[in-house]
Amino acid sequence: MHDSQTMKVRTEPGEPSRTWRRTAPGLLGAGAGKRSVLAFLALAALAGCLALLVYSWLGHRSIKDSAQAVANLGRITRQMNDLQSLLHDGTAPEGSLGTALQTIRQDLNNVISGPGSTKVFQEILVRSDTLLTQAQRALERRVLAKANGSTDHGETAAQLGEASGLMIETSLQLQSELDRRSTAVHHRLALSFLLAGLAFCAIAVNAALQLRNSGADGLVSDSAAFPLLLAAAVRNTDEGVLITDTGIEIGEPMILFANDSFKSMSGFPDRKLVGEPLRMLRTTCLREKEFSLLEHSYSNSKSATMETIRWREDGSKVYCEWHISPVRADDGKVTHFISILMDVTRLREQEEAQRRSKEELMEAHQRLMENQQQLIHSEKVAFLGQLAAGVAHEINNPVGYVMSNLETLTDDIEEIQSNPTGRPSSAGDPRARFFAETREILQESITGLDRVKGIVQGLKNFARPAEAEIKDADINHEIEVALKIVNNELGGRCTVRKHLGDLPTLECRPGQLNQVFANLLANAAQAIAKHGAITVTTEFTGSEILVKVTDDGIGIEEKNISQLFTPFFTTKPTGKGTGLGLSVSYGIIQTHNGTIEVESTIGHGATFTVRLPVPTKDQT
Ligand SMILES: Nc1ncnc2c1ncn2[C@@H]1O[C@H](COP(=O)(O)OP(=O)(O)OP(=O)(O)O)[C@@H](O)[C@H]1O
Ligand SMILES: [Mg+2]
């Protein structure tokens, strides 16, 4: 079942053991402190609010009573005024006046002893009552006086008037007292609402704190339900969890807990593992080497991490990352070991897929490069094929006259040999003629052979394999080589003007670059119908070498410009052009990190500009 196995192991000697019994330190104290201050604040605010409400309610009641007292006083005052006018008129019978006065006094006494009047007002009102008593007595005296023939009620009326004045004054004072008290009650009510708001805020913040702390901070561990929550979490987590004892008691660690995730990751989905010795994992889900690492972690009480691969029955792999940690009691003694398993199969499969696609990409890139090189080479061969006839003609001419010169020399030598005396014949002295002609003939032959050598060298350079080596090259020299190659194409029709500037050497593939220049020159020549000029300019800008090939030929139609660098695009008749020259040139310039651009005006020719970056010393 387990054909092969790979494993990564990392132990962390200095790492503190991860003890799952720990709670988040510090947070508990800080959170509780804040919460108790807030609770106290809320309570104090609530108590203040309540006290103010009761006080306001009492105030409101006393205001109500006082208002009632003011109303009663107003009524009594009105009655007294009525009585006073009756006395002035002298129309009312004394009996009814006495009863009315008695009723008024009764009412006033009710107000004095009632809940609405304060001590100060009571004093004033008692003075009014005294005046009323005097008025009553005056009335009684008036009844007696009537018996003596007197009709004067002035004394009674005066006392009534004074009493009523006092009551009006009291009413006014009571009224302003009432206003003051009602403002105070309003203030108290506002303050109590403020305190209620404060209490509400404190309660809300307290609740929020409690909620937050009952989350990840571990404050929930205070609660009695925490062990149950912890057990449920460990049972149901997607990570495999295995807990064993240390094995000290019976000599080998025993499995105390294994959750369902552990069982399915380790290949025992339906088996009861609790009570089994740890060694049962050996060779079933852990290979020998992995098991000894587990043992090493147990015997040294150290945390360890390892990765295992298990083969399923269907041949697929399960990758698991194991984190083994000792569990310590509060005194630091190791009591148990816990292993947490993470299924990293999907991650590893993704990595594997990524690695495969990267390899495929590299292979495809390699194939592409090979194809490109092949294309460059085939284009070169085709180009050479086209040039072969012209080149043959080029070589034929100098070789022809070198041959004829050598024949002349051979004839001269034969003549000298057949006439050893050196007698001059009809054609003159053969020796003299030989010496006179030989220098000129040899010079001509050397020039002719030089030309042949140049052409052959050019062809040799040009025909170098596409994957030619990288070396330092002089671009002006490569242009000269290209010119030699296309010399036949240029024929006598094209005047070539060269403006070759001072260039630094360039690290490049010279064989490929002269292929590009030859293509550009051949295209320029082919674009010139009868006679014309081709200008080749080179220039160094400080960061790049510029090569411009300009002709005054037919130019390029605008619709064709975007297709020039597409393979097999040609406007030339079959057999004349393959349409590969520019596309191959484009590829070559790209591999040199350069660019190639074209400008053309139909009927006035075209300019192709090649830019080749020259790396600075730092870049190389
Ligand atoms: N200097 C130029 N003047 C006008 N047209 C040009 C010039 N250079 C290229 N072209 C146009 O671009 C086309 C493509 O050129 P390219 O060199 O790729 O192929 P080709 O010359 O047709 O064939 P090959 O180079 O493979 O023999 C040419 O057919 C021509 O129409
Ligand atoms: Mg071409």
Side-chain angles (χ1 to χ4, degrees), residues 293-571:
L293 273 157
L294 197 70
E295 282 183 323
H296 182 266
S297 168
Y298 271 60
S299 53
N300 291 293
S301 300
K302 291 258 170 74
S303 302
T305 302
M306 63 183 177
E307 188 173 308
T308 60
I309 301 177
R310 186 175 62 76
W311 266 258
R312 291 197 193 96
E313 275 171 13
D314 63 1
S316 58
K317 296 180 203 169
V318 182
Y319 294 83
C320 278
E321 213 173 77
W322 286 58
H323 299 276
I324 307 139
S325 304
V327 179
R328 291 176 195 277
D330 289 341
D331 59 3
K333 218 173 121 203
V334 175
T335 58
H336 298 85
F337 282 87
I338 182 167
S339 295
I340 311 281
L341 267 73
M342 270 190 288
D343 190 335
V344 288
T345 308
R346 193 178 290 180
L347 198 73
R348 295 291 172 267
E349 280 172 356
Q350 277 170 358
E351 282 171 2
E352 177 68 13
Q354 262 173 14
R355 195 186 52 74
R356 268 202 307 271
S357 54
K358 195 174 159 195
E359 272 174 16
E360 278 167 16
L361 217 66
M362 297 285 281
E363 267 174 38
H365 181 250
Q366 185 59 32
R367 272 201 304 275
L368 212 68
M369 292 296 284
E370 284 167 11
N371 287 347
Q372 196 190 18
Q373 296 300 339
Q374 254 170 17
L375 194 67
I376 292 173
H377 194 62
S378 334
E379 200 277 338
K380 187 177 268 189
V381 171
F383 190 74
L384 273 177
Q386 280 182 27
L387 290 179
V391 170
H393 174 77
E394 286 274 312
I395 294 174
N396 220 16
N397 202 18
V399 166
Y401 66 73
V402 169
M403 286 285 285
S404 117
N405 284 348
L406 290 177
E407 274 167 17
T408 309
L409 282 180
T410 314
D411 287 351
D412 285 352
I413 290 168
E414 275 173 5
E415 197 180 331
I416 291 168
Q417 279 175 341
S418 62
N419 184 6
T421 55
R423 252 185 303 114
S425 66
S426 54
D429 181 359
R431 284 169 197 266
R433 205 176 61 246
F434 177 76
F435 286 117
E437 281 177 359
T438 304
R439 182 169 292 278
E440 199 186 333
I441 285 173
L442 285 178
Q443 196 51 55
E444 256 181 21
S445 303
I446 287 170
T447 312
L449 286 176
D450 249 1
R451 182 150 179 66
V452 173
K453 190 181 162 199
I455 293 168
V456 170
Q457 188 59 47
L459 280 174
K460 228 173 97 188
N461 284 343
F462 189 77
R464 278 185 299 217
E467 59 279 6
E469 56 175 323
I470 295 175
K471 60 180 186 183
D472 282 343
D474 173 10
I475 295 300
N476 286 339
H477 170 73
E478 297 308 320
I479 286 170
E480 296 287 3
V481 170
L483 277 167
K484 280 202 180 97
I485 300 300
V486 295
N487 191 42
N488 182 58
E489 195 75 58
L490 302 169
R493 303 178 301 120
C494 308
T495 313
V496 178
R497 296 187 194 117
K498 291 185 278 184
H499 303 290
L500 305 182
D502 280 343
L503 302 181
T505 54
L506 179 72
E507 200 180 37
C508 62
R509 291 192 167 86
Q512 290 187 353
L513 286 185
N514 63 39
Q515 183 177 350
V516 172
F517 303 141
N519 275 322
L520 296 182
L521 288 166
N523 281 348
Q526 286 160 7
I528 293 169
K530 285 184 181 152
H531 292 282
I534 296 173
T535 310
V536 186
T537 315
T538 59
E539 182 193 337
F540 178 54
T541 63
S543 61
E544 47 188 21
I545 290 173
L546 247 66
V547 179
K548 283 189 185 192
V549 178
T550 306
D551 65 72
D552 55 5
I554 54 170
I556 306 164
E557 280 187 62
E558 200 172 334
K559 67 175 169 57
N560 291 342
I561 294 259
S562 60
Q563 302 190 68
L564 290 190
F565 300 99
T566 313
F568 305 108
F569 172 78
T570 182
T571 56

